[in-house]
Amino acid sequence: MIEHPDRNLAMELVRATEAAAIRAYPWIGHGDKNKADGAAVDAMRKFLGTVDFDGVVVIGEGEKDEAPMLYNGEHVGNGNGPACDIAVDPIDGTSLTAAGRQNAISMIAVSDRGTMLDASSVFYMDKIVTGAAGRGGVIDIRKPIGENIRALAKALDKDVSALRVAVLDRPRHAQLIEEIREAGAGTRLMLDGDVAGGINAARYESRIDMCVGVGGSPEGVATAAAIKALGGFIQGRLVPSTDDERQKGLDAGLKFDHVYEADDLVSGENTFFVATGVTDGEMVAGVRRLGPIIRTESIVLRSHSGTIRRVTADHLVSKWLEE
């Protein structure tokens, strides 16, 4: 029999994201993203090694900028328990952490072995993410952004002017941002934090209604695991930067001029997504030093049960940080 990940695994994985966030804490605002990332990677790898599962990193981090990384194909866990695909990013938002800005998180996504798309050979993906209102043909990435905005506003029973669309603040998005505003919606420009932006678009209590634009393709796969747990909507199209990258993608079995749906990105129905705040954000609060304790806030999502859990933990400073 195939052993599937159970709810206890999610709570164990939180320990790894908490550890990564805490180890990154001393580097918040100190201008060195690689030292922050390196500390987080070391902590996450150490804690993952104690977890009862046989995980293979399908989506690692670090390839784009040669940062410290949990590499693709790396086995994590103690080898006992369910066989899983995992996507990891010890810090999604290393530049945010280094600058002391909001919305940096430590995250892990998990699904049954063989169910997570390996999109690592193509760095970028054009994505659109909403909550459940975008499902059922309401939103389609192939349509103009203005048309999608009006359709979502109608589905949400909102004025278009009340919609808020999150977009990475990049030169490549100048035209997209202009079109969003011309449609009458407002923008929320993100300096970084691609995963958190997508998840916020699908959370019912969020002030973000939609997240669009070109970001990391590995981040798109990780976001899909969370979106499935939230019952939201995601589509993506791969965007190769060069002919060589396109060929690498083709060699890896990836499709271009193709719309990837949530089930294409993560085909399993038992997905987990866990994230701990490194710096403060709308989704989770960042790491805080409160006298003799360090406080962390995490979110745990599971698609099989459709549950969202929040975990606040206090950790003794003496067990974590050198004074």
Side-chain angles (χ1 to χ4, degrees):
M1 291 181 62
I2 297 174
E3 188 175 358
H4 299 286
D6 64 17
R7 58 177 173 262
N8 292 328
L9 176 60
M11 302 310 293
E12 284 295 299
L13 293 173
V14 169
R15 296 170 59 237
T17 56
E18 287 173 346
I22 291 171
R23 290 300 189 196
Y25 173 76
W27 299 104
I28 294 174
H30 284 267
D32 193 328
K33 68 176 186 177
N34 282 343
K35 284 186 177 179
D37 203 27
V41 169
D42 289 344
M44 181 173 281
R45 180 178 280 119
K46 178 180 178 181
F47 271 79
L48 283 176
T50 70
V51 178
D52 286 332
F53 80 132
D54 177 15
V56 172
V57 177
V58 174
I59 301 294
E61 59 89 39
E63 287 106 335
K64 279 183 284 189
D65 54 8
E66 298 182 356
M69 59 186 289
L70 280 149
Y71 60 86
N72 289 2
E74 180 174 351
H75 281 258
V76 295
N78 62 17
N80 300 318
C84 303
D85 287 347
I86 70 169
V88 297
D89 200 340
I91 305 179
D92 179 44
T94 53
S95 295
L96 299 176
T97 302
R101 295 192 174 107
Q102 292 189 336
N103 291 319
I105 60 172
S106 175
M107 73 90 192
I108 301 172
V110 175
S111 188
D112 292 321
R113 178 68 54 80
T115 61
M116 196 173 282
L117 179 72
D118 182 356
S120 59
S121 57
V122 179
F123 290 150
Y124 293 107
M125 179 185 288
D126 186 19
K127 290 164 279 192
I128 188 164
V129 186
T130 74
R135 300 174 65 177
V138 172
I139 299 299
D140 191 323
I141 198 171
R142 289 161 289 211
K143 295 178 181 178
I145 187 61
E147 187 174 337
N148 278 322
I149 286 171
R150 289 186 289 274
L152 184 62
K154 182 178 180 180
L156 292 172
D157 194 24
K158 279 187 175 184
D159 289 336
V160 169
S161 62
L163 253 64
R164 297 296 176 263
V165 181
V167 189
L168 282 171
D169 190 5
R170 300 288 189 271
R172 63 178 177 265
H173 289 149
Q175 181 64 32
L176 175 61
I177 292 167
E178 183 178 340
E179 290 174 3
I180 291 168
R181 292 171 177 169
E182 285 179 351
T187 55
R188 288 292 181 269
L189 301 184
M190 304 179 294
L191 293 171
D192 211 336
D194 198 6
V195 175
I199 293 171
N200 281 333
R203 293 191 309 121
Y204 71 89
E205 73 271 41
S206 172
R207 289 169 288 185
I208 303 298
D209 300 291
M210 179 186 291
C211 185
V212 298
V214 176
S217 55
E219 287 85 347
V221 176
T223 301
I227 297 308
K228 293 189 74 164
L230 290 166
F233 172 84
I234 182 171
Q235 286 179 330
R237 293 182 294 194
L238 293 169
V239 183
S241 300
T242 65
D243 289 340
D244 182 58
E245 189 179 49
R246 183 184 181 89
Q247 188 58 52
K248 287 181 179 178
L250 291 171
D251 292 343
L254 298 176
K255 302 174 184 177
F256 299 94
D257 302 319
H258 171 80
V259 174
Y260 282 90
E261 307 284 348
D263 286 340
D264 298 320
L265 297 170
V266 183
S267 61
E269 293 304 322
N270 189 31
T271 66
F272 295 90
F273 180 90
V274 299
T276 300
V278 177
T279 60
D280 285 340
E282 184 178 342
M283 184 170 68
V284 282
V287 179
R288 300 187 182 191
R289 170 77 180 267
L290 302 169
I293 67 167
I294 300 167
R295 179 166 293 168
T296 57
E297 184 179 64
S298 306
I299 189 169
V300 179
L301 310 174
R302 187 186 184 199
S303 65
H304 181 69
S305 58
T307 53
I308 304 170
R309 290 184 171 86
R310 291 190 174 275
V311 180
T312 301
D314 290 341
H315 315 259
L316 286 175
V317 170
S318 60
K319 300 291 186 180
W320 285 94
L321 303 178
E322 296 181 4
E323 295 295 311

